[in-house]
Amino acid sequence: MALEEKLKEIPSSPGVYLHKDAAGKVIYIGKAKNLRHRVRSYFQKRPFDRKTDALVGQISDLEFIVTDNEAEP
């Protein structure tokens, strides 16, 4: 599934997200109260700091894990 399609499938639930590069290596792990809002925010047209710009430029795939709340491991 293409990255754009995965972005459409993300639920508004709390959880953990994993950004991956083209080789499938996890390059960032984050958590969110609202996965849909947080993950999609990386792909909005707005200025980021250089570190975030570099990260977003490397994202080729993502996974997410839905949890009961943002504090759940």
Side-chain angles (χ1 to χ4, degrees):
M1 181 183 296
L3 183 59
E4 294 80 23
E5 293 299 316
K6 286 186 178 184
L7 290 171
K8 293 177 185 176
E9 300 292 320
I10 299 173
S12 297
S13 306
V16 176
Y17 57 95
L18 297 87
H19 290 309
K20 297 181 177 185
D21 65 11
K25 179 181 173 188
V26 175
I27 57 174
Y28 187 80
I29 299 172
K31 63 181 183 175
K33 291 180 185 179
N34 182 323
L35 284 167
R36 182 178 202 63
H37 177 73
R38 181 66 185 120
V39 173
R40 290 170 60 103
S41 74
Y42 283 99
F43 302 96
Q44 302 298 316
K45 301 276 188 211
R46 63 181 179 149
F48 291 111
D49 58 60
R50 290 195 313 203
K51 181 178 115 181
T52 305
D53 276 338
L55 171 71
V56 172
Q58 294 181 32
I59 298 170
S60 294
D61 195 11
L62 65 94
E63 287 184 30
F64 58 88
I65 302 165
V66 174
T67 60
D68 290 332
N69 58 60
E70 73 277 3
E72 183 179 323

